[in-house]
Amino acid sequence: MTNSSDDGRVTVLVVGQPSDHRVSRIAANFDMVRVEEADPTQLTPELAGRVRGIAAFGAVGAAFIDALSKIEIIASFGVGYDSVDAAHAGRCGVMVTNTPDVLTEEVADTAVGLLIATVREFSRAEAWLRDGLWASRGPYPLTRGTLRGRRAGIFGMGRIGQAIARRLDAFGLPVAYHNRRQIEDLDYTYHPTLDALAQSVDTLIAVVPGNASTAKAVNAEILRALGPAGVFVNIGRGTTVDEPALAAALANGTILAAGLDVFADEPHVPQALLDLPNATLLPHVGSASIHTRDAMGDLLVDNLLAWFDQGRAVTPVVETAHVTARG
Ligand code: NAP
Ligand code: 8YV
């Protein structure tokens, strides 16, 4: 059994369904093998002993990592890496990388666009036009919601959260935030709990990673704190929200509206949310332009190249920052 292909190239397993751009650069530099899912039962013993890198465009769990005896690095596509068991990888001495920064501004643009579309009912207004109601019934009704006078709270003031805050500054909205740790020299009001943040604002934008510490953090109590003019936008991960509680809050007027780009069980969206006219729903398109997805793909490949050529990762995740290349 070898740990490289016949031509001596490092074997990289592509998990999931990337676009041609990503695949071509991996294929040009590595012995590339593709699988739809990281299912250990689908691996032949020969392949399991040959793969040294994974390009992850889908979930990679602990059992799959354990099945690959030569695995050194999992380069994951996306800044959020909740679908990769990075803690397990770190314990096994396997590097995990993600794709931060290159998508920050795009996702912040999407978040603000989603906020405005939600507050001003753009999806429903366009449907009104397309359905011929502008001509037959007259102008679309004035919206209850407006950005004017809103107070914004950002749950997760990281790279994307700060890019959203900069945009909201330009819109003239006061911004406050909650993280576990206050950021020094950041000129926005800090709240040490999510509840305190929600009490102080009427517009909550969630952009936290999906993990045990954030699971269902936005619950009925947080939504109630936003009040009847409240607007909730989620651009982070669907798992950070109690979706049934959100659907109930939208249905009974506890809050005014929600804009969601992410869901707990994608691509499945709860019927209760689909049924609500005051929910603006997007199919996880935060970073989904060709420009930004190509930049993310390039960073993923840069991580693989840097690891195998120079023994270092460009953007290691915190759980594996201690992992060093095997000599
Ligand atoms: P980041 O720079 O790491 O920011 C994450 C922020 O969340 C940090 O400020 C962190 O601060 C805070 N945080 C983490 N856990 C928390 C907790 N339990 N309670 C309160 N705050 C917490 O990451 P980013 O680049 O901004 O990306 C954020 C997330 O956005 C990603 O993880 C991903 O899930 C999501 N995302 C979605 C899309 C999309 O297409 N919709 C695109 C890109 C990213 P502390 O550590 O101080 O708590
Ligand atoms: C991607 C994202 O859509 O970077 C992230 O965390 O959620 C998005 O940019 C996703 O990771 C790739 O499918």
Side-chain angles (χ1 to χ4, degrees), residues 272-293:
L273 290 173
L274 292 170
D275 288 343
L276 287 163
N278 52 348
T280 300
L281 309 174
L282 296 178
H284 200 146
V285 294
S287 66
S289 68
I290 294 168
H291 166 89
T292 294
R293 288 288 172 86

Side-chain angles (χ1 to χ4, degrees), residues 91-219:
R91 285 191 293 273
C92 300
V94 175
M95 171 58 71
V96 176
T97 63
N98 64 344
T99 61
D101 300 316
V102 294
L103 46 54
T104 294
E105 303 299 332
E106 189 85 70
V107 180
D109 290 345
T110 310
V112 174
L114 179 56
L115 169 64
I116 299 174
T118 301
V119 170
R120 297 294 323 286
E121 304 177 14
F122 284 166
S123 302
R124 289 159 74 187
E126 184 175 358
W128 181 272
L129 178 156
R130 287 181 183 277
D131 292 347
L133 301 181
W134 190 12
S136 65
R137 286 206 219 157
Y140 183 74
L142 303 184
T143 60
R144 262 184 70 197
T146 173
L147 219 51
R148 299 302 96 216
R150 285 196 169 273
R151 289 163 289 128
I154 296 184
F155 175 33
M157 188 64 109
R159 289 168 291 239
I160 299 170
Q162 290 179 43
I164 294 170
R166 288 195 294 275
R167 284 157 176 73
L168 297 180
D169 286 344
F171 284 106
L173 270 55
V175 175
Y177 74 100
H178 166 63
N179 277 358
R180 288 166 300 186
R181 285 170 291 272
Q182 183 167 8
I183 301 171
E184 269 183 46
D185 302 326
L186 192 69
D187 198 17
Y188 300 110
T189 306
Y190 174 71
H191 292 278
T193 65
L194 178 57
D195 190 53
L197 176 67
Q199 297 283 351
S200 75
V201 300
D202 53 21
T203 307
L204 183 66
I205 302 172
V207 61
V208 276
N211 59 37
S213 77
T214 58
K216 297 189 180 173
V218 178
N219 56 24

Side-chain angles (χ1 to χ4, degrees), residues 57 77-81 99 103 107 236-237 262 284 286-287 293 296:
F57 298 87
F77 185 71
V79 65
Y81 52 94
T99 61
L103 46 54
V107 180
R237 283 291 181 267
V262 287
H284 200 146
S287 66
R293 288 288 172 86
M296 293 161 63

